[in-house]
Amino acid sequence: MARSKWNRKRKAEERAAKSGKDPRDKADVNAAGYKLNQDYSVAKTSNPRMEAYYSLLGLHSTRFDAGAAASFVPCLADEEKTAERDRFMSSLRAILPASFRIDRSLDASVQNKLIREMKEFVGKETEVEIELPTRSDAVGGKMNLMNTADAQSDTAPQHVGGDNPVVTTIKRKIAPAKPIPFISATESDGSTLTLGYQLSVDRRTLRRNPSLSPLHEWLKTHTDCGHITRQETVSMIPPVVLDVKPGMAVLDMCAAPGSKTCQLVEVVGGFANRDESDGNDGESGRRCLEPDGYVIANDADAKRAYMLVTQLRRLQSPSVFVTSCDGQYFPILDAKDDRGTEKEGMFHRVLCDVPCSGDGTVRKNPGIWRHWNQNGALALHPLQLSIALRGARVTRLNGYMVYSTCSMNPMENESVVAELLRITNGSLVLEDPRPRMEGLIARPGWSTWKVLREEKRGSAKAKKDHKKKNSPKMIAKRKEWAEKRKTGNATRLQKNDRIQTMQRKTTRR
């Protein structure tokens, strides 16, 4: 290993000597931090199979009507379906905005102070600079992006980089943050505190804009203190839907990396005053603080479980226990006498955030555009169903289990839930949490869907392999191998006949 490192270092020095540069010198960068004389382009954000699949399923057959009803209505004309499809694709191609939430376990005075400080950034418009990519074939090219941005911005696009323009920026007035109504907490007097906030820009824009530096410094300071947690908005939804209460026993079956687990611990891991006996006369001598509820965070991958421990360490809570076992074989620890009775089950709440194809995360994982196919969802369906069945088994009577994925595919969502309801035969009841989640806009689930699959021969690699296997050279070799096999089989049969004859003669003797 040391020799290979030395060879790489020597080769780098030789290349630097030929070019006349010092290998220790850093590459020249422009004001935006990009290397000069280098062409940058965004990843391709299109997949014809993915777009055709969801269009065939009827995803664009309904649209959201923001009128008085504020509900989803069917698209009657083809123009409405086309417009809905364009909105869907533009949302997938947009950069994922940053979001965070305030810790629920903080003292009320600290929470109120943080909320007052956030009011300075909520609703207050600030002029920021937004960078445009140098080339984007998937969304109409750079010229189309510049024309669209010019129509929405207050200033004309500007180039950064001197003679070699690399970055195109525009200036736009935006509100840095907005509250998330359903990420909230109820105080003792009945009032509601909003603890979740979503920014109007992504992390890179937040980090590079001088006008947003006060908000950026505020986020860094309170993140280091543990007062706030950086978490995506969609990641905050499952723990809220689970409706966890203090003092409950909660199981997170696929917990890593741990953002949802932290959100659960903040609710159930509160401390309650209990009497501690002195052990002599049985009288309560002093008061002690003990956790009233607990969370078991499980993950099948040991490396991800270690990452989960690192994430939970900042909470310093004794109410969480980390395990590493396969979720579909999670141990059943209740008493045998309780099985089949009302006492069956161990947990009041169970969260099944199962492994999935993840096509709903294309905004932060652009590689999904290139690798997406329907076979991935079909292959994960049995595993997801098995984990959900074990989660339902360990849930107590009248408890809640939330099944969630990062996918939009009905084979990983509605299909798993439908099969789960069929197998349990009335033991589980489907509940709609949208009425108790203010501000959440969610489409109703599908009741019918098409099951499609892809032929493996349709891929480029499969076509190349098929052409290689059926080349004239391989056909001639196959004929030669067939003739050799026939000759070898005939010789082997003759030897077997001789052995059988010898055995028969030996038996007669």
Side-chain angles (χ1 to χ4, degrees), residues 15 24 31 41 70-71 81 103 116 137 139 167 243 246 360-361 369 371 376 386 417 434 439 460:
R15 288 194 300 267
R24 294 173 294 180
S41 60
S71 60
K81 293 182 180 180
D103 192 344
R116 287 195 301 269
D137 298 333
V139 289
V167 182
D243 193 21
T361 63
W369 285 108
H371 300 293
S386 181
V417 174
R434 288 177 294 177

Side-chain angles (χ1 to χ4, degrees), residues 355-357 371-382 384 409 411-412 454:
C356 61
S357 60
H371 300 293
W372 185 93
N373 61 77
Q374 173 62 5
N375 294 331
L378 296 175
L380 287 170
H381 176 86
Q384 295 165 343
N409 201 319
M411 293 305 303
E412 303 179 68
E454 295 184 20

Side-chain angles (χ1 to χ4, degrees), residues 342-354:
E342 295 181 355
K343 298 181 181 180
E344 186 180 30
M346 298 175 289
F347 301 98
H348 300 94
R349 300 288 188 268
V350 175
L351 176 59
C352 297
D353 189 36
V354 298

Side-chain angles (χ1 to χ4, degrees), residues 264-315:
L264 296 172
V265 174
E266 293 172 5
V267 181
V268 304
F271 291 89
N273 290 320
R274 300 186 186 276
D275 294 333
E276 183 178 347
S277 175
D278 56 6
N280 296 325
D281 54 359
E283 295 180 358
S284 58
R286 57 185 179 273
R287 308 288 290 181
C288 68
L289 292 176
E290 294 182 358
D292 210 16
Y294 63 90
V295 176
I296 294 183
N298 176 71
D299 199 89
D301 191 350
K303 293 182 179 180
R304 289 173 60 86
Y306 279 114
M307 181 173 56
L308 176 62
V309 172
T310 304
Q311 178 78 359
L312 294 172
R313 188 175 297 168
R314 66 180 183 83
L315 294 180

Side-chain angles (χ1 to χ4, degrees), residues 184-206:
S184 59
T186 304
E187 293 186 319
S188 57
D189 57 355
S191 60
T192 302
L193 290 178
T194 302
L195 303 180
Y197 294 89
Q198 180 172 304
L199 306 184
S200 302
V201 294
D202 60 303
R203 292 184 177 183
R204 186 181 65 176
T205 305
L206 176 66

Side-chain angles (χ1 to χ4, degrees), residues 23-278:
R24 294 173 294 180
D25 292 342
K26 294 184 178 179
D28 297 331
V29 296
N30 59 6
Y34 292 99
K35 293 181 181 179
L36 296 177
N37 302 319
Q38 188 166 350
D39 186 18
Y40 288 89
S41 60
V42 297
K44 180 170 288 189
T45 55
S46 63
N47 189 317
R49 294 179 298 176
M50 180 178 174
E51 298 173 20
Y53 174 72
Y54 285 112
S55 297
L56 182 62
L57 289 180
L59 183 62
H60 316 309
S61 299
T62 58
R63 60 180 179 84
F64 181 71
D65 187 6
S71 60
F72 286 88
V73 297
C75 296
L76 303 178
D78 293 339
E79 292 78 6
E80 294 180 352
K81 293 182 180 180
T82 303
E84 181 63 23
R85 179 187 176 279
D86 294 340
R87 283 191 293 267
F88 172 73
M89 296 305 301
S90 61
S91 299
L92 293 183
R93 289 163 178 161
I95 300 178
L96 183 67
S99 56
F100 67 93
R101 57 178 178 81
I102 300 175
D103 192 344
R104 288 190 58 172
S105 61
L106 294 176
D107 187 77
S109 59
V110 179
Q111 286 184 349
N112 293 327
K113 182 177 181 299
L114 294 175
I115 292 174
R116 287 195 301 269
E117 293 176 355
M118 272 304 301
K119 289 182 179 179
E120 299 180 3
F121 306 104
V122 176
K124 179 182 177 182
E125 290 190 352
T126 305
E127 188 177 63
V128 298
E129 292 183 356
I130 301 177
E131 298 178 2
L132 298 180
T134 57
R135 184 173 68 248
S136 179
D137 298 333
V139 289
K142 177 182 175 182
M143 187 60 66
N144 186 19
L145 273 175
M146 293 179 61
N147 295 337
T148 305
D150 191 15
Q152 297 177 355
S153 63
D154 301 330
T155 59
Q158 300 178 358
H159 299 287
V160 179
D163 298 334
N164 184 22
V166 176
V167 182
T168 303
T169 62
I170 59 171
K171 292 184 178 181
R172 186 181 301 172
K173 289 185 177 181
I174 61 172
K178 62 179 180 180
I180 306 174
F182 53 85
I183 308 297
S184 59
T186 304
E187 293 186 319
S188 57
D189 57 355
S191 60
T192 302
L193 290 178
T194 302
L195 303 180
Y197 294 89
Q198 180 172 304
L199 306 184
S200 302
V201 294
D202 60 303
R203 292 184 177 183
R204 186 181 65 176
T205 305
L206 176 66
R207 186 171 59 252
R208 294 183 177 180
N209 271 270
S211 57
L212 297 176
S213 59
L215 176 59
H216 187 216
E217 294 297 328
W218 186 90
L219 290 174
K220 289 196 301 182
T221 301
H222 291 287
T223 301
D224 296 338
C225 295
H227 294 164
I228 65 174
T229 301
R230 303 281 189 96
Q231 188 178 355
E232 297 177 19
T233 304
V234 292
S235 179
M236 304 179 193
I237 296 177
V240 177
V241 175
L242 199 57
D243 193 21
V244 176
K245 305 295 182 184
M248 286 186 172
V250 183
L251 171 63
D252 192 351
M253 301 193 70
C254 306
S259 56
K260 300 182 184 69
T261 308
C262 293
Q263 194 174 351
L264 296 172
V265 174
E266 293 172 5
V267 181
V268 304
F271 291 89
N273 290 320
R274 300 186 186 276
D275 294 333
E276 183 178 347
S277 175
D278 56 6

